[in-house]
Amino acid sequence: MANKKSYQTEVEKLLKAIDISIESYKKYPPKDWTPEIVKMVTTNLEKDKIGRLSAEKSFMNLASLKYDVEAVFTYFQEGTGDIVEYFWKRIDEEGLDYQRENKLEKILTRGKIRGRIEYDYVTDMIVVAEQVGLTTKEDTKKLNQMLAEYESKGKK
């Protein structure tokens, strides 16, 4: 029964995080988003809440819930700007124990790209990260070297 309680606690946290994400999108919509995109995203998040609350019993587990958490948090883990800062401030204010990850920092510290997902992430983020100050010019050089090393392994 402890697992059931843990699942229920995690669902309640996720529902609060979804509400905060909706609030964030409405208050600080991403600059390149139209009002229609904001409405579509927030409507889908509302549907996700209902879906999680009415999930089939076989999907009422922490492993399944992890996918929902990832889907809600991806934008806020990888994005920048007022919306992202507001979201994490509200998460902290609500006492939700979600943590903001700096995936580029982890990859830089490790010195190696592990797998296609990380490769795609670095490829997508490398320019933006330097532009917004998440990484330095030296970090960008290291990341480019890691990309090249990963690509060369794929050709062998």
Side-chain angles (χ1 to χ4, degrees), residues 27-42:
K27 191 166 185 156
Y28 297 102
K31 290 177 182 26
D32 56 346
W33 287 21
T34 64
E36 292 78 18
I37 293 173
V38 173
K39 183 166 180 49
M40 179 190 69
V41 169
T42 56

Side-chain angles (χ1 to χ4, degrees), residues 91-151:
I91 290 291
D92 186 53
E93 287 172 358
E94 290 295 323
L96 301 176
D97 62 356
Y98 294 111
Q99 298 298 313
R100 188 173 187 178
E101 293 178 39
N102 184 338
K103 292 180 185 178
L104 287 177
E105 185 177 305
K106 287 182 179 182
I107 294 167
L108 282 162
T109 300
R110 185 182 333 118
K112 181 179 178 181
I113 293 173
R114 288 189 192 156
R116 185 67 189 194
I117 292 172
E118 283 190 1
Y119 173 83
D120 290 341
Y121 176 73
V122 171
T123 301
D124 291 344
M125 290 296 294
I126 194 166
V127 174
V128 175
E130 187 178 328
Q131 288 174 342
V132 299
L134 285 175
T135 57
T136 65
K137 286 188 186 301
E138 187 62 33
D139 292 336
T140 300
K141 287 179 188 175
K142 289 177 187 174
L143 290 168
N144 275 317
Q145 184 178 353
M146 286 184 236
L147 287 170
E149 288 169 9
Y150 182 83
E151 289 166 358

Side-chain angles (χ1 to χ4, degrees), residues 16-122:
K16 285 180 187 177
I18 290 173
D19 286 340
I20 292 169
S21 71
I22 291 169
E23 177 186 329
S24 300
Y25 284 119
K26 288 180 176 179
K27 191 166 185 156
Y28 297 102
K31 290 177 182 26
D32 56 346
W33 287 21
T34 64
E36 292 78 18
I37 293 173
V38 173
K39 183 166 180 49
M40 179 190 69
V41 169
T42 56
T43 299
N44 285 335
L45 285 164
E46 289 288 354
K47 288 178 185 174
D48 290 347
K49 280 177 57 177
I50 293 166
R52 182 42 65 188
L53 288 170
S54 60
E56 292 181 33
K57 199 167 190 81
S58 62
F59 293 106
M60 292 182 151
N61 57 62
L62 293 174
S64 179
L65 188 63
K66 186 176 181 179
Y67 288 99
D68 292 345
V69 171
E70 190 71 27
V72 171
F73 280 81
T74 297
Y75 182 86
F76 301 101
Q77 290 288 11
E78 298 177 2
T80 59
D82 292 341
I83 182 175
V84 174
E85 297 308 317
Y86 179 79
F87 174 82
W88 287 107
K89 179 178 170 236
R90 291 284 295 118
I91 290 291
D92 186 53
E93 287 172 358
E94 290 295 323
L96 301 176
D97 62 356
Y98 294 111
Q99 298 298 313
R100 188 173 187 178
E101 293 178 39
N102 184 338
K103 292 180 185 178
L104 287 177
E105 185 177 305
K106 287 182 179 182
I107 294 167
L108 282 162
T109 300
R110 185 182 333 118
K112 181 179 178 181
I113 293 173
R114 288 189 192 156
R116 185 67 189 194
I117 292 172
E118 283 190 1
Y119 173 83
D120 290 341
Y121 176 73
V122 171

